[in-house]
Amino acid sequence: MGFGCKSHWVLFNTFLILVSALKEQLGPEPINPNNKDVQSALDFAVESFNRFSMDDHLFKVTRVMSAQVKDIGGLLYFLEVDLGRTQCKKGTNEALRSCFVVNTPGGSEHHLCHFKVLNTFWRNEKYLLKSNCKPVNR
């Protein structure tokens, strides 16, 4: 007396439910910061930072300390980055890639930032859920 097809189906579904429940309990997983989707999330976070920053100069990523992702129906990125102040001023329509980071003695030209970005790829939308940045003196 072996298992019938219906019993295998029930066991398989039970297994899938357990795997899903376990995955929900797990935290975010590390991801390569050079991944194109991570870069897109970073671009979105930095664009938002620059839009709301009171500084008249643009900032750009100088270093990614950590990048993690969690699948919650959309992809939730946890990003820890160093932002450096560039020579480019807001409103000049310069491409951020062409801007270089400036370092002035005694200035607070860098920020350590923790961003949380949700990418809802089925809606082609991103949301900045967390932006916590603090000046860092170098």
Side-chain angles (χ1 to χ4, degrees), residues 93-104:
N93 293 330
E94 290 186 62
L96 191 55
R97 294 183 201 276
S98 66
C99 300
F100 59 89
V101 174
V102 294
N103 290 308
T104 55

Side-chain angles (χ1 to χ4, degrees), residues 47-115:
E47 181 183 305
S48 297
F49 175 86
N50 281 326
R51 186 179 316 117
F52 295 107
S53 166
M54 300 303 274
D55 199 297
D56 61 343
H57 286 81
L58 296 173
F59 283 77
K60 70 189 273 184
V61 174
T62 60
R63 192 170 128 217
V64 178
M65 272 75 87
S66 113
Q68 298 177 311
V69 65
K70 183 172 182 177
D71 186 346
I72 59 169
L75 295 178
L76 182 59
Y77 294 96
F78 300 82
L79 308 165
E80 182 179 354
V81 300
D82 180 79
L83 296 183
R85 186 174 190 249
T86 70
Q87 93 286 2
C88 295
K89 289 197 170 203
K90 290 181 179 179
T92 59
N93 293 330
E94 290 186 62
L96 191 55
R97 294 183 201 276
S98 66
C99 300
F100 59 89
V101 174
V102 294
N103 290 308
T104 55
S108 155
E109 308 296 342
H110 288 265
H111 285 73
L112 176 61
C113 296
H114 299 271
F115 296 122

Side-chain angles (χ1 to χ4, degrees), residues 35-53 59-61 75-77 79 81 83 96-97 113-120 124-131 133:
N35 174 294
K36 68 177 180 62
D37 295 326
V38 173
Q39 289 296 310
S40 177
L42 270 172
D43 290 345
F44 178 76
V46 173
E47 181 183 305
S48 297
F49 175 86
N50 281 326
R51 186 179 316 117
F52 295 107
S53 166
F59 283 77
K60 70 189 273 184
V61 174
L75 295 178
L76 182 59
Y77 294 96
L79 308 165
V81 300
L83 296 183
L96 191 55
R97 294 183 201 276
C113 296
H114 299 271
F115 296 122
K116 222 188 261 191
V117 178
L118 176 62
N119 182 1
T120 56
N124 198 26
E125 293 180 358
K126 292 181 186 75
Y127 302 93
L128 185 62
L129 303 181
K130 178 182 178 185
S131 175
C133 298

Side-chain angles (χ1 to χ4, degrees), residues 18-29 69-72 76 78:
L18 289 173
V19 168
S20 285
L22 181 60
K23 193 173 180 182
E24 278 295 313
Q25 298 297 322
L26 299 176
E29 298 177 10
V69 65
K70 183 172 182 177
D71 186 346
I72 59 169
L76 182 59
F78 300 82

